[in-house]
Amino acid sequence: MILHGTPRIGLILGSGSARGWSHIGVIRTLENAGIKPDIVCGTSIGALVGAAYAAGELDRFEAWVKSLRMKDILSFMDLQLAGGMLKGERLMEFFRKHFVDCPIEQLPLSYGAVATALHNGAEIWLRSGSVTDAVRASIALPGLFSPVWRDDTVLVDGGLVNPVPVSLGRAMGADILIAVDLNAKLLGRRQPHDTAASASTAGTTASGSASTWLQSLQQNLGSWMPESGPQSPRLPSMLDVLASSINIMQVRITRSRMAGEPADLLITPNLSNIGLMDFHLGQAAIQEGMRATEVMLPQLDELLGRG
């Protein structure tokens, strides 16, 4: 690659639900190494973290992520059956009150998010309008968060079509693309249940009453599925099946997309111990993001001509 002048660096933040807090560790390590992206784009949780960074709100956002406990996660759950289990309005209302919303065009860094048009599967690039509204559309994970209407189109999670949106970063003018794939090391590993059990795996203690409630939900959803015989092992819960299915889908799509649209540098945190809804494990995810990025710094220095 021959670059003239100062290259524009694009940071591509992939989807992965609660594993997305790892993006904060990636950004912090890049900053500590003196590397500041010019362009930030993301899908799903990557769109959320990317928006906080592009808006200059990462310090407050990181403090909030590290403060999250299981009871806080449950407080955002506005359960419903239409569209998805969670409307997501409580979460987005919290962000509107505590983090500055503004038009994407006014952000200090160039920013874009990815969503999917539900009616035809088209990939939608969100590069204008409210930051919060763009994030809400990009995180609308089918089955969990309800879809979003935007410009007469029903939008859902961008991870359905582009989990690590390298193509968007390139279209936005990035010369060097640093991508973060949160799902690269998931398949073939036993996934944690999204309960307090995974919290103990990462050394975190969740609220007793909250974890009991969530565990009960897991068991009840799991009991809907019949067993094939009296000696058959218990089938996984509906949430576990949903989580594993989403992992498989995003891993396969990412591999396919990145084969034709490779990043210049790929960071792959090992987050197999963090479940789909383990948003209370922010500290563990951030630390792994830092570790995975530090390993890649020599290659990045060479790529940037700093070696």
Side-chain angles (χ1 to χ4, degrees), residues 56-187:
E57 295 274 1
L58 192 64
D59 288 344
R60 285 206 302 149
F61 187 78
E62 181 179 1
W64 175 74
V65 166
K66 289 180 176 179
S67 74
L68 286 175
R69 300 294 179 265
M70 183 71 79
K71 61 182 178 61
D72 301 311
I73 308 305
L74 295 177
S75 72
F76 292 127
M77 291 187 176
D78 36 6
L79 294 173
Q80 63 163 16
L81 293 180
M85 289 176 59
L86 313 174
K87 288 191 295 184
E89 297 307 320
R90 291 182 185 174
L91 175 62
M92 299 319 296
E93 183 60 30
F94 175 88
F95 279 99
R96 288 188 181 96
K97 288 181 177 179
H98 293 82
F99 298 94
V100 177
D101 187 22
C102 70
I104 291 174
E105 302 92 324
Q106 295 179 12
L107 290 172
L109 291 178
S110 183
Y111 170 80
V114 178
T116 303
L118 186 61
H119 72 289
N120 65 0
E123 180 177 337
I124 307 297
W125 291 352
L126 305 173
R127 297 195 54 200
S128 63
S130 164
V131 173
T132 302
D133 290 348
V135 169
R136 175 64 184 86
S138 189
I139 67 170
L141 189 63
L144 289 178
F145 287 103
S146 58
V148 173
W149 277 100
R150 180 184 170 108
D151 299 330
D152 297 323
T153 303
V154 180
L155 299 181
V156 293
D157 195 300
L160 295 179
V161 291
N162 202 351
V164 185
V166 172
S167 55
L168 175 55
R170 197 174 300 282
M172 290 171 65
D175 298 306
I176 294 177
L177 292 154
I178 304 169
V180 186
D181 183 0
L182 303 176
N183 305 304
K185 299 182 179 180
L186 296 184
L187 296 189

Side-chain angles (χ1 to χ4, degrees), residues 116-301:
T116 303
L118 186 61
H119 72 289
N120 65 0
E123 180 177 337
I124 307 297
W125 291 352
L126 305 173
R127 297 195 54 200
S128 63
S130 164
V131 173
T132 302
D133 290 348
V135 169
R136 175 64 184 86
S138 189
I139 67 170
L141 189 63
L144 289 178
F145 287 103
S146 58
V148 173
W149 277 100
R150 180 184 170 108
D151 299 330
D152 297 323
T153 303
V154 180
L155 299 181
V156 293
D157 195 300
L160 295 179
V161 291
N162 202 351
V164 185
V166 172
S167 55
L168 175 55
R170 197 174 300 282
M172 290 171 65
D175 298 306
I176 294 177
L177 292 154
I178 304 169
V180 186
D181 183 0
L182 303 176
N183 305 304
K185 299 182 179 180
L186 296 184
L187 296 189
R189 299 171 182 265
R190 183 172 178 81
Q191 299 300 311
H193 296 292
D194 286 300
T195 63
S198 55
S200 61
T201 300
T204 303
T205 302
S207 163
S209 59
S211 61
T212 299
W213 183 91
L214 190 58
Q215 195 166 22
S216 175
L217 175 63
Q218 283 275 94
Q219 293 170 348
N220 289 336
L221 290 175
S223 68
W224 294 355
M225 295 181 288
E227 297 182 356
S228 58
Q231 303 301 318
S232 300
R234 181 176 177 81
L235 292 175
S237 74
M238 187 178 78
L239 291 182
D240 288 330
V241 171
L242 179 62
S244 294
S245 299
I246 290 170
N247 291 342
I248 292 169
M249 175 194 72
Q250 298 206 33
V251 168
R252 298 300 186 190
I253 294 172
T254 299
R255 289 178 181 174
S256 176
R257 290 295 300 256
M258 294 193 71
E261 302 166 345
D264 297 295
L265 186 81
L266 184 62
I267 299 171
T268 57
N270 185 353
L271 300 163
S272 59
N273 64 324
I274 297 180
L276 185 74
M277 299 293 286
D278 284 340
F279 291 100
H280 57 293
L281 301 183
Q283 183 66 55
I286 290 170
Q287 290 177 347
E288 174 55 22
M290 296 179 72
R291 185 208 64 77
T293 308
E294 287 168 355
V295 169
M296 301 302 294
L297 285 179
Q299 293 185 41
L300 184 54
D301 284 337

